[in-house]
Amino acid sequence: MPTYAYKCRACAEEFELSRPMSESSAPADCPAGHADTVKLLTTVAIGGRAGGSPGAAPSGGGCCGGACGCG
Ligand SMILES: [Zn+2]
């Protein structure tokens, strides 16, 4: 089961969850219980696409955190 990294935008906590790929974009509550989290890029390579968007930043503000559904 792949591991996904998330970051809480409420307390800036970074945490990881092991979950099925089908749930990779599902909301993840941070350990402190906040629901305002974003999914970070994972280091686990699972047939992913090469390259990436030039505007992708590792620290929040990204579009692909699940809020806009572009992922
Ligand atoms: Zn939090």
Side-chain angles (χ1 to χ4, degrees):
M1 191 176 296
T3 299
Y4 298 95
Y6 300 84
K7 181 172 184 177
C8 178
R9 293 199 289 188
C11 68
E13 175 77 10
E14 293 185 13
F15 57 100
E16 295 182 347
L17 292 177
S18 293
R19 48 169 41 178
M21 289 183 68
S22 60
E23 297 181 15
S24 66
S25 60
D29 288 348
C30 99
H34 305 121
D36 188 11
T37 59
V38 294
K39 187 162 73 70
L40 304 177
L41 298 177
T42 67
T43 56
V44 182
I46 306 175
R49 289 164 292 189
S53 55
S59 59
C63 177
C64 294
C68 71
C70 69

